[in-house]
Structures are given as structure tokens and as C-alpha cells.
Amino acid sequence: MKKMEAYLKCIRCGKEYDLGQVRYTCDCGGTLDLKRDFDGVDGMELKDLWEKRWGARSGSAMSGVWRYKELVFDLPDDKIVTRMEGNTRMYPAGKAGKYAGLKNFLLKHEGENPTGSFKDRGMTCGATAAKFYNATTVACASTGNTSASMASYAACSGMKSLIFIPEGKIAYGKLAQALAFGGRTLQIKGNFDDAMTLVQEVCAKLNIYLLNSINPFRIEGQKAICFEILQQLNWQVPDWFVIPGGNLGNNSALSKALEELYTLGIINKKPRIAVIQAAGAAPLVKMWKEHTPFEPVKNPETIATAIKIGNPVSYEKSLRGLKWSNGVVESVTEQEIMDAKAMVDAAGIGAEPASCCSVAGAKKLVEAGVIDPEATVVGILTGNILKDPDAVIGYHQDTLGKLGIKGTYANKPTVIEPDLEAVKAAVFAD
Ligand code: F0G
């Protein structure tokens, strides 16, 4: 297999940079893509190589990211920082499928990654890039999952991690992970967007390696969600992918992966992508539906704290992918998110609130006649159910009224005396 040389290219003005020095954005301010020269690359040969690596028992090929390293970051194994991420399951949606009105609905559970979210796919590549550039400290702004993941990969590879999170606004499971993995955690008196602005300044001025998804290597790792889904489907392309959108890195990675597979002839159909945002944090939806220039949302608000973002850094990449895939953008309400989550949970699968935008969004798009009920749809569940236990308990105790959320499908616990009669009365009374 011919090694493809990688370089950076601005998605706005097209300017190119080699990988010789650290760069996250172009001189013009645009975001950067990692590009490769596909000339003379045989897509079928690449696919065969990935097939041979499936189920590998040694080396980086055991990772569901590095299995595809030719299109991620082609380095020798001893240069790779990995926790053998990926290899996540894809479930028939069960009750959640019925709820969405879909016959062929699959849920790819990225919450089954080592730190419980899809971020590990980007982080293994980002941490590897940090080492590639001889960084000793890495930093990110986060709504929680990126910081949990970064702290873990930094700890594994002997780097320090510096975390900027919005004070009091991230789910407990995520904060717990960041602290436990030894991340130096700074709680910003402001929201995620303020933290994102600050971390970019800190990294530029203090020579710290930035591991938000504005870092093009993060996107390369996240592409592996798509590669793995397609491999699990025997390279049969679904009709739709439905994916939550926050900072908009993940859907940008998905469309980049699809476009590359399509260019290489590994797939020959373009699936459609639906990006779903929470109604209180939906700048992309506003722009898309009202055909207006991008404008940040000032005070984003949603119970899906992972995607409580008003000024997503990757909106241009996201738009490019949506156009390529003839995609759509939709928003879902707090109630729709939590009811969809109740269905994902009741199906025995479980995921954190932001993840369930995929199911809430699919349902809405089926009802609107955009997605055909017979279509094959893959929804991405981005984070583990245990990340945000407060949201689960609040819904099932029906105490989220102050947020305007009803426990429609609440499964309330009952307090009883410790005797048989009390059990009978509580369980078999009616
Ligand atoms: N779902 C979960 C569980 C997330 O943690 C995130 C992003 C998203 C969806 C949205 O992905 O930003 O690529 O559009 N979380 C980031 C963080 C922002 O800091 O953990 P996106």
C-alpha cells in the first residue's frame, strides 16, 4: 500500500500548509482539513487491508480508529497513543425504533468507548499528534466529555492536561472523570463559548497543544466512527445518518469520512446526513432554515449540556458536509430530547441526553415526511447513560418541571417497609 502524504488545507481559502509546525487555523481564520493525495491509491486494496485487520489481536489494529490508520494518521505503532478505542456495538433500536417510526433503525453506541463517549476516537489521534509535535501539556475547553477523554489520554501518555469548563454547567460524571484522571481543571465563570475563546488564547500564548475539535487531527480520528459503521454493515451504505450537533466537529468528521470513501470508490452511494441540535442551542438550524449568515446564539440553554454551545467552531465544515450529502438540519425541544432518551433507555441501550437528539430528530424527520419509515437509518449515540445521572433521576422522579420537562415515561421508585405485604401492595395492588 502506497503511503499517502498528508498536509493541511484551509477549507475557506484553499491555502496549504505542511505538517512541519503546529497549526489549527489558516492565516485567513478558516479551519483546516487534513488532506491526502489519493492519486494511485487503490480503494479496494485499502478496504481489503482493513478487512484483514478486523478482530486483530495485537498492535494498533486492535483499535477501532487505528485499524483505518491510512485515512487517520499513518504512523508506526510505537508513535501511537491508544486505549484501543472504538469497536463499539451497533444495536437494533428496539423500542426507540418503534418510537421514531422506523423499521430499520440502528444505534451506534459511541458511549461504549473507554471514557464513555465518541471523543476517545478523536482524542487518540489528537494525543498522538501532541506527541508528534513533542507537546508536554495539552488543553481543551469542554462541556465535559472532551475533558474526560483528554485527561485520560494525557494521563496514559505522560502529558499534563489543562481543562477549561463552564462553571457548574457540566454533568457530574464528566467532571468526576476529569478530576480523577488528573486534569488541572479550571471552572470558567462563563459558558462553553467563553471557555473556547479563552483556551485558544492560552494555547497560542503559552505554547500548549490545543485538543478541541478545531484541531484537524481530532476530526481525522472521529472519522473512524463512520469507517467502523460501514465495516459493520459490510460496506452497505445506509440511507441516513442522524447525529447530534454541538461544536459541529463530529458531523464534519462523518461527512469527511464518507466523502473520502466515495472518492476512493469504497462506497458508491451518498447517504444523507441529518444534524440535530437542541432548540435552545441551535445556531446551525437558524442559519440553515432562514438562509441567513452564521450568527452565534448568545445564551445557549439545554438539559443536554454536552451540546449547550452557541458559537460552534466547525460550522463551515459542517455546512460543507451537509451540502455534499444533501443533508438536513433540525432542532428538537427539551421534552423531545428527554422522551427520546427515555425510549433509548427503556430499550435497554441507554445514553446521555445529547446523544438522544439522534432519536428525537429521527422521529421528527419521519413525521415530517423527510425520512421514509422504510429507510435504513443509523443514529449515533454519542455518550454513555452514566455520564449524567442527574438528568435520568430528574426525569424519572418527575422533578424537571422547572425546566419545563415532564416525566412522560417516568419509572418512579417507591419507598416501602421491608416486608412481603408491602411488596405485594406496591407491586401487585392493581
Ligand atoms: N454528544 C455528546 C455526548 C457530546 O459530548 C458532544 C460534544 C456532542 C454530542 C456534539 O458533538 O461538538 O462534535 O458537534 N461535546 C463537546 C465536549 C463539545 O466538550 O465534550 P460536536
Side-chain angles (χ1 to χ4, degrees):
M1 171 64 54
K2 175 183 167 249
K3 185 167 168 165
M4 291 171 261
E5 284 311 318
Y7 58 96
L8 297 168
K9 184 168 181 183
C10 175
I11 79 152
R12 206 183 278 168
C13 75
K15 188 166 174 183
E16 295 179 4
Y17 303 91
D18 65 29
L19 298 187
Q21 50 175 296
V22 173
R23 238 185 200 282
Y24 314 107
T25 50
C26 180
D27 290 337
C28 80
T31 45
L32 299 171
D33 263 339
L34 206 74
K35 299 283 276 186
R36 293 169 187 84
D37 183 2
F38 287 165
D39 276 356
V41 177
D42 181 342
M44 290 309 117
E45 203 185 319
L46 201 51
K47 188 174 113 181
D48 287 347
L49 186 62
W50 297 342
E51 284 296 317
K52 285 201 192 86
R53 289 183 188 149
W54 188 258
R57 291 186 207 164
S58 64
S60 67
M62 284 193 291
S63 155
V65 172
W66 298 100
R67 183 186 304 133
Y68 314 99
K69 72 174 172 182
E70 291 73 17
L71 291 190
V72 173
F73 193 12
D74 202 351
L75 290 177
D77 276 12
D78 64 346
K79 302 283 180 211
I80 288 173
V81 179
T82 177
R83 286 196 59 193
M84 306 303 157
E85 48 294 306
N87 299 309
T88 58
R89 280 156 282 221
M90 187 151 62
Y91 301 97
K95 276 188 185 159
K98 230 176 165 181
Y99 175 74
L102 285 166
K103 297 208 174 83
N104 304 301
F105 194 18
L106 294 165
L107 295 175
K108 173 70 167 168
H109 208 329
E110 287 297 297
E112 295 180 349
N113 270 293
T115 76
S117 84
F118 74 96
K119 302 289 179 180
D120 294 339
R121 298 215 187 230
M123 206 51 75
T124 182
C125 192
T128 298
K131 286 279 178 189
F132 176 80
Y133 288 114
N134 299 313
T136 53
T137 305
V138 290
C140 70
S142 182
T143 55
N145 281 323
T146 299
S147 57
S149 182
M150 186 185 78
S152 165
Y153 281 82
C156 287
S157 59
M159 293 188 287
K160 292 197 186 101
S161 56
L162 181 58
I163 290 164
F164 296 83
I165 51 169
E167 187 192 19
K169 288 173 194 156
I170 78 168
Y172 245 56
K174 305 174 188 181
L175 177 60
Q177 285 177 298
L179 300 176
F181 292 135
R184 181 78 183 90
T185 304
L186 303 176
Q187 299 185 285
I188 301 300
K189 292 182 179 161
N191 60 24
F192 170 83
D193 301 308
D194 301 321
M196 190 67 228
T197 307
L198 179 61
V199 75
Q200 290 186 73
E201 186 190 349
V202 167
C203 286
K205 303 245 166 84
L206 305 182
N207 199 21
I208 291 173
Y209 194 67
L210 178 63
L211 278 179
N212 277 101
S213 57
I214 197 168
N215 182 320
F217 291 97
R218 281 272 318 275
I219 301 291
E220 292 306 286
Q222 280 170 214
K223 288 187 326 196
I225 302 175
C226 175
F227 299 150
E228 195 173 275
I229 289 170
L230 289 168
Q231 195 163 14
Q232 284 171 315
L233 292 175
N234 245 329
W235 306 100
Q236 297 302 303
V237 182
D239 300 311
W240 283 92
F241 284 93
V242 189
I243 183 168
N247 219 8
L248 302 178
N250 208 22
N251 70 84
S252 302
L254 171 64
S255 60
K256 185 169 190 283
L258 288 166
E259 193 176 347
E260 289 173 359
L261 295 178
Y262 190 82
T263 306
L264 286 164
I266 295 173
I267 58 171
N268 52 23
K269 167 181 151 183
K270 290 186 183 185
R272 299 182 73 187
I273 296 175
V275 177
I276 314 298
Q277 297 200 293
L284 187 72
V285 179
K286 184 167 187 296
M287 178 185 191
W288 186 263
K289 292 203 170 172
E290 296 173 13
H291 305 286
T292 48
F294 176 77
E295 205 185 303
V297 166
K298 281 266 161 22
N299 293 306
E301 206 42 77
T302 171
I303 190 167
T305 50
I307 51 172
K308 198 162 126 178
I309 296 173
N311 191 11
V313 295
S314 293
Y315 80 90
E316 283 173 297
K317 285 187 180 175
S318 182
L319 283 174
R320 176 185 63 178
L322 281 161
K323 283 182 192 141
W324 179 83
S325 82
N326 187 23
V328 298
V329 180
E330 191 51 270
S331 65
V332 285
T333 64
E334 300 290 274
Q335 189 68 49
E336 287 167 341
I337 292 172
M338 291 308 285
D339 285 346
K341 171 172 159 53
M343 289 298 136
V344 172
D345 296 351
I349 298 169
E352 69 162 286
S355 302
C356 300
C357 285
S358 299
V359 173
K363 176 176 162 62
K364 202 161 182 178
L365 292 168
V366 169
E367 284 167 1
V370 178
I371 298 183
D372 186 328
E374 307 280 334
T376 305
V377 180
V378 175
I380 317 282
L381 297 180
T382 44
N384 193 285
I385 184 174
L386 292 175
K387 290 278 190 173
D388 193 350
D390 288 341
V392 183
I393 301 296
Y395 184 88
H396 288 288
Q397 301 267 36
D398 204 4
T399 56
L400 300 178
K402 55 189 178 305
L403 301 174
I405 300 169
K406 284 197 306 253
T408 321
Y409 305 106
N411 176 23
K412 279 191 193 170
T414 315
V415 179
I416 60 159
E417 293 300 326
D419 62 57
L420 181 63
E421 289 313 311
V423 173
K424 284 204 228 157
V427 182
F428 305 108
D430 37 38

